[in-house]
Amino acid sequence: MIFRDDLLKDKVILITGGGTGLGLAMAKTFGELGARLAIVGRRQAVLDEAKRSFDASGIPLWSQSLDIRHPERVDEMMDALLSHYGRLDVLVNNAAGNFISPTERLSPRAVDAVLNIVLHGTFYCTLAAGKRWIDRGEPGTVLNITTSYAWTGSGYVVPSAAAKAGVLALTRSLAVEWAPHRIRQVAIAPGPFPTEGAWSRLFPTTELADLALSRVPSRRVGRPEELTTLAAYLVSDAADYINGEVITIDGGEWLNGAGMFNMLSRVTEADWERIRQLVPKKA
Ligand code: HXC
Ligand code: NAP
């Protein structure tokens, strides 16, 4: 750990989808840095398992089963959380839904399933936290987990791309509107980080996983601790002047698709010699 172990001391941090994958990894890092945690997700068994593991490490963890697509349930959860801890310092909007599919094969229910989790659920949680922070005159931080295709778009995950683009707009809009209330917005845009939830839905074969890896200039996937270290800094008081910013952590993956000549990474040393002879030296 590169931080002092009291970096997040006593901060109350709510992580949606905190029982699995990157959400759980963030919860562990924040807990090791002194935070008091709350996690929500739909599956009670997943939350129970996380609770057992945090109890064993002596890290305070409150959890509640919640589907963030239901705004009334989100409000009830927020009240229960506030009565448990007395306050909330940080909301991490991490819960998401996604799968690969040609867009023309999607049913309206499939579109709604993703948009309602990623865009609406994130909005409901942000509203529930923000209204209470403003009413109580308390500061707060929202960390949104988006993706690197939030601004480029991406075929085959179009509901996710549209929803994450909306979350990015939410981040930048509220960064301005709520700053006078001392409520800060930040976002992380991860590239590929192998988690069971993402890999089972997005890269269900090794061929697809290898294809994804080949797009990353660093030729490796992300390590959870690289993302959780960034997240810990962003939600800490040290980052208090960072507002409305999205930080990409993807080994250069999205830029690889953007630069016209990036495909030249496939050219061999021998080919480069040949190409050098072919290109005219003088006009
Ligand atoms: C086409 C699909 C589908 C698929 C579901 N549907 N999966 N359509 N291809 N693979 C359709 C169903 O047929 C149904 O439509 C509608 O979607 C709703 O399906 P349900 O199973 O009832 O939905 P629900 O139980 O609400 O589950 C939501 C979900 C599921 C999004 C579909 O995958 C889920 O719970 N995901 C949560 C975890 C997750 O996705 N993690 C990955 C995050 S990774 P019909 O019309 O038939 O009723 C990420 C970024 C990764 O976000 C970037 C990587 C680099
Ligand atoms: P994950 O383990 O599948 O995480 C998704 C979490 O969201 C699960 O804990 C899930 O729990 C919860 N969730 C889903 N729908 C919910 C709902 N309606 N209400 C409440 N909770 C819900 O996948 P992950 O890879 O860790 O993803 C975490 C975040 O990183 C997501 O925002 C994702 O878009 C982002 N991301 C991941 C990658 C990657 O490569 N892994 C890349 C870019 C962005 P339940 O199913 O129990 O509800």
Side-chain angles (χ1 to χ4, degrees), residues 26-46:
M26 283 188 275
K28 285 184 176 151
T29 298
F30 297 166
E32 285 163 14
L33 293 168
R36 294 181 287 164
L37 300 164
I39 60 171
V40 294
R42 290 165 300 175
R43 288 166 294 165
Q44 187 64 51
V46 167

Side-chain angles (χ1 to χ4, degrees), residues 126-138:
T126 303
L127 256 186
K131 281 180 176 177
R132 285 163 180 79
W133 281 326
I134 292 167
D135 285 350
R136 295 156 65 114
E138 290 171 354

Side-chain angles (χ1 to χ4, degrees), residues 42 69 96-101 105-107 109-110 113-114 117 147 149 160 164 190-192 197-199 201-203:
R42 290 165 300 175
R69 289 174 282 195
N98 200 0
F99 49 78
I100 46 170
S101 174
R105 290 172 64 104
L106 295 173
S107 69
R109 268 176 49 79
V114 174
I117 301 172
T147 74
Y149 55 68
S160 169
K164 294 286 193 182
W199 254 231
R201 293 174 176 88
L202 301 165
F203 309 112

